């Protein structure tokens, strides 16, 4: 389908969603968020896609939510429509791995969008922050919750209370991003990781993603039980048999995705 605020592409088993509101530094308006959700669901249902990349422009992944769109809303408005809830959370419901490839500004809702993805690859030009405090409000799409789980209380509190930004290297040291690469190789590096994931057994990839995510929702003991049961379940897959046989026979596995 045609989109107005994003661009989509499918390449080598990877679905690519590019935020495209250049005149607004990819500010996350309702229409853009809705289109991202539609594209993500489409790629998630596509058997030819094994991994998804969410990215923006060189200057901005997304500079935040669209303030012009929300500035006149009242408490009753945002409460009645449960503002930035279901539509914003679509990324977290996608079963296939989602990689955020971040260059330039990832602020406010942009930082929160990136954190909804499974991991972040950042250009060395990337800047992360939660500046909502400077607008008389607080983060509302994970900035006080996912950020705290990613970087710890002290840095999360600092970012949320001051509205300051951190650079890519600081984000890497804090655990917010998985890898920092030169800006001119960001898309190449993101595609390399995505193609690697897309080339693996897709049932196992989905199972692994589910297990890692469970670690954020449970105690260690419950998480270990969950992991063990999923590990056991892989022994019902043809791909588990093929993967171990290929290793023993020193050859490349031929995944059947079953």
């Amino acid at each position: 389908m045609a989109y107005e605020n994003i661009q989509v592409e499918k390449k080598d088993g990877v679905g690519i969603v590019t935020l495209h509101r250049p005149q607004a530094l990819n500010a996350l308006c309702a229409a853009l968020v809705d289109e991202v959700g539609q594209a993500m669901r489409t790629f998630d249902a596509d058997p030819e896609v094994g991994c998804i990349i969410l990215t923006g422009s060189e200057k901005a992944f997304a500079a935040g939510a669209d303030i012009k769109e929300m500035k006149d809303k009242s408490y009753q408005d945002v409460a009645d429509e449960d503002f930035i809830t279901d539509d914003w959370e679509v990324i977290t419901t996608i079963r296939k791995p989602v990689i955020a490839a971040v260059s330039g500004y990832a602020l406010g809702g942009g930082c929160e969008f990136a954190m909804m993805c499974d991991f972040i690859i950042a250009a060395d030009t990337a800047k992360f922050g939660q500046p909502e405090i400077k607008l008389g409000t607080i983060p509302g799409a994970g900035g006080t919750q996912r950020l705290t789980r990613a970087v710890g209380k002290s840095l999360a509190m600092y970012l949320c209370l001051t509205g300051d930004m951190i650079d890519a290297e600081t984000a890497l040291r804090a655990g917010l991003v998985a890898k920092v690469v030169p800006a001119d190789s960001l898309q190449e590096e993101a595609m390399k990781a995505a193609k690697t994931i897309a080339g693996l057994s897709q049932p196992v990839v989905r199972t692994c993603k589910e297990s890692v995510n469970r670690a954020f929702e449970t105690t260690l003991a419950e998480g270990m039980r969950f992991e063990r049961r999923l590990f056991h379940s892989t022994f019902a897959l043809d791909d588990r048999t093929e993967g171990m046989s290929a290793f023993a026979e020193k050859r490349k596995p031929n995944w059947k995705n079953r």
Side-chain angles (χ1 to χ4, degrees), residues 78-210:
V78 296
D80 286 349
E81 64 184 83
D82 204 9
F83 187 52
I84 64 169
T85 301
D86 290 342
D87 49 352
W88 279 66
E89 294 286 331
V90 170
I91 296 172
T92 66
T93 71
I94 301 303
R95 298 180 68 196
K96 294 173 181 176
V98 182
I99 300 171
V102 176
S103 181
Y105 297 112
L107 305 177
C111 185
E112 291 166 322
F113 239 37
M115 290 190 291
M116 290 179 197
C117 299
D118 294 304
F119 62 88
I120 301 170
I121 296 177
D124 53 12
T125 58
K127 302 285 187 182
F128 299 88
Q130 299 292 159
E132 290 88 347
I133 198 81
K134 296 181 178 181
L135 301 175
T137 187
I138 69 170
T144 67
Q145 300 301 305
R146 290 189 180 94
L147 184 62
T148 303
R149 286 164 171 77
V151 306
K153 177 185 175 182
S154 184
L155 182 55
M157 192 73 81
Y158 171 80
L159 291 173
C160 290
L161 289 181
T162 66
D164 284 355
M165 296 182 291
I166 56 172
D167 61 20
E169 287 296 336
T170 302
L172 177 65
R173 291 194 299 271
L176 181 59
V177 307
K179 189 175 185 179
V180 175
V181 300
D184 59 3
S185 64
L186 174 64
Q187 301 305 322
E188 178 185 350
E189 290 292 334
M191 273 298 296
K192 184 188 300 183
K195 286 171 65 176
T196 295
I197 294 167
L200 298 170
S201 166
Q202 293 309 295
V204 176
V205 166
R206 289 195 300 269
T207 299
C208 189
K209 170 175 171 169
E210 183 180 7

Side-chain angles (χ1 to χ4, degrees), residues 3 32 108 122 139 176 190 223 253:
Y3 296 106
L32 181 150
L176 181 59

